Amino acid sequence: MNQQIHFGMRNYKFLILSTVLFLGCKTISVEEKSLPPITIFMIGDSTMANKKNPDTNPERGWGQLLNQFFNEKVTVKNHAVNGRSTKSFRELNHWQSVHDSLQAGNYVFIQFGHNDGKETDPVRYTNPQTSYRYNLIRYVEETRAKEAIPILFSSIARRRFNEQGVLLDAHGNYTLMARLVAQELNVPFFDMQYLTENMEISYGVEASKKLHLHFAPGENDYFPEGITDNTHLSVLGATEICKLFVEELKKQNSILVNYLK
């Protein structure tokens, strides 16, 4: 009799545990299904942009690979363009098409700086303390006016080691200004320069070449004459930057974490 009671209690506990686990799984499933679909617009320069001929071209912008890290609820629309600054992106009408498409709840990832520092190019150059700062503010305010959500990014680091193996800064005050604008306007900020500097250093002077485009003549069919490019990204480099972004999303406890694969 006691054995029967013991056996019955054991079955009863197992039934309760199974029910709890089942309900828990059902809750998670319902929560995932209830997430609204979102669209992420990306505006920036060549380090973010989609590259042509991906079957043969070894170069990637990190925005080109970002959709691989999100689930089917997310649509990534990468509007970043090679060579653009906060100034030329607007003046060449790239921003207008994005702005016209924005709807409430959309996200806009904003990452400029590489080309804003082109001091010999009046089409692209911006003073970090003045026009660059106000260009960022304008992008943020116009995004919010459409009830969309802006996120600011500092530029990724360039692979710029000196003879002693020290990675040098390549962006001056542009990163500082992006951070200050984010603080002033209460915008989420991702310091990609800091994160990618650490990545470059962790790979080291030689191995970090794999993050970029380093090919000897005849080594790659797309660059038959060879290439040494310490700014733009290989598939590995772009993938690693996406991973850095995902980890930072988690640290910032962003709602976008719910949309990760």
Side-chain angles (χ1 to χ4, degrees):
M1 183 70 176
N2 288 338
Q3 287 182 342
Q4 290 178 340
I5 293 173
H6 180 68
F7 181 76
M9 289 295 292
R10 222 170 27 173
N11 280 349
Y12 179 69
K13 290 178 180 178
F14 177 78
L15 178 61
I16 292 176
L17 179 59
S18 299
T19 303
V20 169
L21 289 173
F22 174 76
L23 290 175
C25 290
K26 290 288 286 184
T27 301
I28 291 171
S29 177
V30 169
E31 287 178 352
E32 288 175 352
K33 288 181 179 179
S34 66
L35 285 172
I38 62 169
T39 299
I40 297 172
F41 290 86
M42 306 185 78
I43 65 172
D45 55 42
S46 56
T47 61
M48 177 188 274
N50 293 340
K51 306 303 173 182
K52 296 179 181 178
N53 307 314
D55 292 337
T56 55
N57 186 357
E59 182 183 351
R60 295 292 186 275
W62 73 270
Q64 191 169 0
L65 303 182
L66 187 60
N67 65 330
Q68 300 175 18
F69 292 82
F70 285 111
N71 63 30
E72 69 282 354
K73 294 275 190 174
V74 176
T75 300
V76 176
K77 296 186 176 182
N78 189 6
H79 288 261
V81 181
N82 291 2
R84 299 299 181 259
S85 67
T86 56
K87 179 183 179 183
S88 64
F89 192 86
R90 179 183 294 277
E91 292 184 349
L92 294 174
N93 294 321
H94 303 300
W95 172 241
Q96 190 63 52
S97 62
V98 175
H99 185 263
D100 291 346
S101 301
L102 287 180
Q103 298 180 9
N106 290 165
Y107 285 80
V108 181
F109 290 3
I110 305 165
Q111 184 182 54
F112 292 100
H114 275 280
N115 299 302
D116 286 81
K118 304 287 187 182
E119 294 180 348
T120 60
D121 187 347
V123 174
R124 295 187 286 180
Y125 176 73
T126 64
N127 184 323
Q129 283 75 237
T130 54
S131 54
Y132 177 73
R133 164 183 160 77
Y134 282 99
N135 288 345
L136 290 181
I137 290 172
R138 192 175 175 191
Y139 283 124
V140 168
E141 290 179 341
E142 291 178 0
T143 297
R144 285 177 166 170
K146 298 293 290 281
E147 298 184 15
I149 303 160
I151 296 181
L152 285 172
F153 295 75
S154 60
S155 296
I156 65 170
R158 284 190 172 98
R159 181 187 168 276
R160 187 185 172 200
F161 289 96
N162 65 14
E163 293 180 357
Q164 291 74 36
V166 175
L167 185 70
L168 303 178
D169 173 46
H171 298 307
N173 284 334
Y174 291 98
T175 293
L176 174 61
M177 285 301 116
R179 182 184 294 110
L180 291 175
V181 169
Q183 290 175 353
E184 179 182 345
L185 300 182
N186 195 27
V187 176
F189 176 66
F190 287 74
D191 194 345
M192 301 307 289
Q193 181 176 353
Y194 172 70
L195 297 174
T196 54
E197 280 181 356
N198 288 340
M199 177 184 70
E200 300 279 356
I201 293 168
S202 69
Y203 268 79
V205 174
E206 287 303 314
S208 60
K209 293 177 181 179
K210 297 185 297 183
L211 302 169
H212 300 279
L213 304 174
H214 280 252
F215 297 106
E219 184 180 355
N220 185 276
D221 291 340
Y222 200 81
F223 298 106
E225 297 179 2
I227 187 172
T228 300
D229 184 337
N230 293 309
T231 297
H232 300 102
L233 302 166
S234 64
V235 174
L236 173 64
T239 302
E240 291 288 82
I241 289 174
C242 286
K243 290 178 180 178
L244 291 174
F245 166 70
V246 166
E247 290 305 308
E248 189 65 15
L249 266 183
K250 295 174 182 177
K251 288 181 182 178
Q252 295 195 22
N253 199 28
S254 169
I255 193 172
L256 291 176
V257 169
N258 297 310
Y259 291 89
L260 295 173
K261 285 183 178 177

